[in-house]
């Protein structure tokens, strides 16, 4: 009976190395309607497969080989009204355009672009992976290029042309 028990035990080796990190950020906005808290919860999961090299003669140890690390990020935003949304890629950062520094931050429905001198502009995601850009005097289309820069395209009635403004990401 003891022999049957010993041979029925499975030996399970771990073939992945996984680390999970969670960052929670709470921002509070005070206005005439009171305080509004928005909670940003970012979960970063790093997974690496453990791969083995060639067995060395006259050795009981088998060396491991470095393998690529797979990183997945999940960002959820809890709005002041209690609703929650998931963001694929968080583009929150600082951007530079025409010598001015702008801050792009997540808000309840998309992003808000602020500069100390002007009223905040809004970015709202569309179904085509672009954004509607709304400032106090214009509505335009925005998107992020491959380098992570924010590009705003605005139609000018007088010249009948599209004017492109680039906000370069500060790294």
């Amino acid at each position: 009976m003891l022999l049957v028990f010993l041979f029925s035990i499975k030996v399970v080796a771990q073939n992945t190395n996984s680390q999970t990190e969670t960052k929670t950020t709470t921002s509070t906005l005070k206005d005439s309607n009171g305080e509004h808290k928005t909670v940003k919860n970012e979960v970063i999961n790093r997974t690496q497969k453990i791969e083995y090299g060639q067995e060395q003669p006259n050795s009981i140890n088998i060396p491991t080989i470095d393998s690529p690390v797979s990183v997945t990020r999940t960002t959820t935003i809890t709005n002041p009204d209690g609703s929650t949304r998931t963001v694929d890629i968080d583009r929150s950062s600082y951007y530079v355009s025409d010598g001015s520094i702008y801050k792009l931050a997540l808000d309840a429905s998309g992003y808000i672009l602020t500069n100390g001198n002007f009223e905040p502009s809004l970015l709202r995601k569309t179904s085509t992976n672009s954004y509607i850009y709304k400032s106090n005097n214009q509505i335009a289309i925005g998107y992020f290029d491959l380098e992570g820069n924010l590009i705003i395209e605005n139609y000018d009635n007088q010249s009948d042309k599209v004017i492109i403004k680039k906000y370069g990401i500060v790294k």
Side-chain angles (χ1 to χ4, degrees), residues 45-65:
N45 189 11
R46 293 176 183 85
T47 305
Q48 181 179 23
K49 286 188 175 184
I50 298 173
E51 296 180 13
Y52 298 104
Q54 288 288 17
E55 184 176 350
Q56 301 297 327
N58 300 327
S59 174
I60 60 171
N61 296 326
I62 299 175
T64 59
I65 300 172

Side-chain angles (χ1 to χ4, degrees), residues 20-121:
T20 302
E21 176 184 347
T22 302
K23 293 182 193 176
T24 302
T25 307
T26 303
S27 57
T28 304
L29 175 67
K30 293 181 184 179
D31 63 8
S32 60
N33 296 330
E35 284 188 3
H36 306 284
K37 287 187 178 182
T38 301
V39 179
K40 174 181 160 184
N41 190 20
E42 184 176 16
V43 178
I44 303 167
N45 189 11
R46 293 176 183 85
T47 305
Q48 181 179 23
K49 286 188 175 184
I50 298 173
E51 296 180 13
Y52 298 104
Q54 288 288 17
E55 184 176 350
Q56 301 297 327
N58 300 327
S59 174
I60 60 171
N61 296 326
I62 299 175
T64 59
I65 300 172
D66 287 336
S67 61
V69 177
S70 171
V71 179
T72 56
R73 292 176 185 250
T74 305
T75 303
T76 55
I77 307 297
T78 304
N79 298 318
D81 64 357
S83 63
T84 301
R85 67 185 177 104
T86 301
V87 178
D88 296 331
I89 300 172
D90 185 3
R91 303 282 188 172
S92 298
S93 187
Y94 288 94
Y95 293 82
V96 175
S97 182
D98 299 329
S100 297
I101 297 177
Y102 296 85
K103 180 182 179 184
L104 186 68
L106 287 167
D107 75 345
S109 302
Y111 290 99
I112 187 166
L113 185 66
T114 57
N115 177 328
N117 303 331
F118 301 102
E119 187 174 317
S121 302

